Amino acid sequence: MKTQNKNIEDYFTSSKPGSGLDLSKEEIKKSFLEKLFYGLGRIPTVATDNDYYSALALAVRDWVFRQYVRSLEEYAEQDSRGVAYLSAEYLPGPHLGNNLLNLSITETTREALADLDLDLDKILEQEVEPGLGNGGLGRLASCYLDSMATLGVPSIGYGIRYEFGIFNQTLKDGWQAEVTDKWLHYGNPWEVVRPEIAFEVKFGGYTEHKYDSNNKLQVNWIPDSEIRGTAYDTPILGYRSNGIIMRLWSAEAIESFDFAAYNMGDYYRAVEKKMRSENITKVLYPNDENLSGKELRLKQQYFFVSCSLQDIIRLHLLQGRELENFHEKFNIQLNDTHPSIAVAELMRILVDIHQMEWDEAWHVTRHTFAYTNHTLLPEALEKWSVNLLGRLLPRHLEIIYEINSRFLNELRKQNFSTEQISRMSLIDDRGEPSIRMAHLATVGSHKVNGVSALHSRLLKSMVLQDFAELWPEKFTNVTNGVAHRRFLALSNPGLADLITRKIGKEWLTDLSALRNLEKFADDKSFQEEWRNIKFKNKERLTALIEERTGVKLDPSMLFDIHVKRIHEYKRQHLKVLHILSLYLRLKNGKGKDISPTSFIFGGKAAPGYFMAKRIIKLITAVADLINNDPEVNKKLKVVFLPNFSVKLAQQVYPAADLSEQISMAGKEASGTGNMKFSLNGALTIGTLDGANVEIREEVGEKNFFLFGLTTEEVQETKKAGYHPYRIYEQNNDLREVMDFLISGKLSKGDKELFRPIYDNLLQQDPYLLLKDYQSYIEAMDEVHKTWKDQNEWAKRSILNVINMGKFSSDRSISDYCEDIWKVETVKVV
């Protein structure tokens, strides 16, 4: 610590830091020490690792905000049209490393800290990942914020400041256990609270209708409760360019403390309103299997939507504009159906509060919103019961009924059939009446997009077919993309450095520049360097896996990785059946063609999802069986890596040799893990599902291991009547594997433990796992054959990376700007 204490005052008398880009080592050192001393009141002799992290984060935040302020000035000068991105989830991952990369000061910071006897990597490891999202939806939203900032899109990302994330996953006897994610326990140095930006949000009560002196209907919503939403801002920095804001809302009581109750000795009632109000933003995705959970989920969605719309209107009026022109200055993107209540809320604000005529308000609303659909799964297309929505949001129910009435009248004028009108209605009156939120979003938006070419086609031909036939011009596609700076430049610095040495830095802002690597694909020395980088990444992951699970892997093995949310349609259990088939081959002396392989799983199951949690137990049971069997564990290893997250993903993707993208065709909207794997040089085994179709087109058929039914074949199989038991009877190898599940050898003699999986596959098999089984086995045999030729594998790996230019989130956001938002970018350097 001698260096830290030497001539400290020198750092505080040097020149002020620059704009945030091209900072010198001395400027970084000075700012870091200022934050440590004056921001945290710490000296090196008592400072903790978290103190060092916080000090560096606060210093970097200053430079990021500086870029944001410069961007705001430029946007104001250009009178730019803006974008508001509404998402119930964000999954930003750690901020510090990404911001250092975007400021281009990572190595300078490393040197500055080394002068103070500090290790940047150790400081980076201290950062706790924000618990603001669940999976792909939230991560995509954060990728898009990164690209909006980089491209110079005047924008704000709106969401919820969850106090607790969905959960931290641990394993107990092979079963998933959920532990509270206290991500804010040590504070969050990246956010700034804005108590002056706060809005009141109403719930419950009733509405009063009366006519004014001009015979105009006036509706007054009398709520039975109100809460306040306060803004917390986190700056998001683009690569050597603009800054934007992620604005999250935190709930609090309007009156937090009841002194009358306190003075009477009723201490609980004194803080009851505060506790009840704060519950709304307490936890990401409450359990919605019961009524109270559903109620809280709806409250969350309306809360953040109402705060966001009030804020956007505030910004619009602050600039001296009229609300009649609101849609000309703001685009609001609905990220899936979660924020779709915004359609009714904007109508309420325009009609009830600002006294706009209904037709004009509807014109503004429909030209303001655009809607991204992210799923083909019926259960994921949100519906709210009329009873629940009417009880919590009585005015919105009235507005939705009015929107629906006018919409259906238009359909009748166009001679739509009774059946079509019933299908298209915003109200589903089969059984308990409910509101179809996807229909509300579709009717209330000027554009609707899917997230891959296949998904958009299926959206128009299946899920929203009637609407697509009515408004074909409304539907479009924007294939998802990923933030390649985070998931390659930051996560895989060895590979990023090799690419930059060969073709320069252009790829950091134009991923299509990777094609300039094509001339090296057959270069043996380049292939060797490529393989060495992959091997080092695998060594790092191996060390992490041993530390967290106790399982030691051999990095020379094929790393076959399946990491994503645990769900039957993603078919982790198909991978397990394959592993068991290899195990049985080895035990029967028939496994000489099997390449030594480590199978790595990760992902969370929803707490109430019985089958998904049993699949995790199955994976861990297979891992115990194989890893402890000396006859096979030199050839095969299996590990489940708990608590998969962005932070963990940044170590997993660069180490993968094979990416498992094996969902049943027609179920995955897009996927983005498939893109991150390929971007890091993993070859893909997959079905023609989601963005797999486009990835295969880009990287080449030879560089993608294809298996399974197409979407059309899936539909035909189900229509013809699917009988999985017949496949079981006809395939001897499959029958042996299936019977092994209930033999008791995986469960200490308990033959019933995995029978639910066994019975589900043989009796129903809703995702046609058995139908695709043999095709998958044959494709995996081809994988093992190809792996034996390391030069060929390296060449295919290189070609995967070279051809990933399409899948940058920069391209996705450019598509949104051109096709949906109609905004021009404003670049600040």
Side-chain angles (χ1 to χ4, degrees), residues 319-342:
Q319 294 163 355
R321 296 170 176 154
E322 300 295 326
L323 281 179
E324 288 76 10
N325 303 320
F326 182 69
H327 58 291
E328 296 174 4
K329 284 300 177 182
F330 277 100
N331 302 269
I332 301 179
Q333 190 70 35
L334 306 175
N335 190 29
D336 216 6
T337 51
H338 308 124
S340 54
I341 193 66

Side-chain angles (χ1 to χ4, degrees), residues 503-522:
I503 64 171
K505 291 186 175 182
E506 183 185 358
W507 66 275
L508 286 164
T509 51
D510 179 8
L511 195 60
S512 65
L514 289 175
R515 289 192 185 275
N516 295 328
L517 283 171
E518 196 158 5
K519 58 181 175 287
F520 300 105
D522 288 306

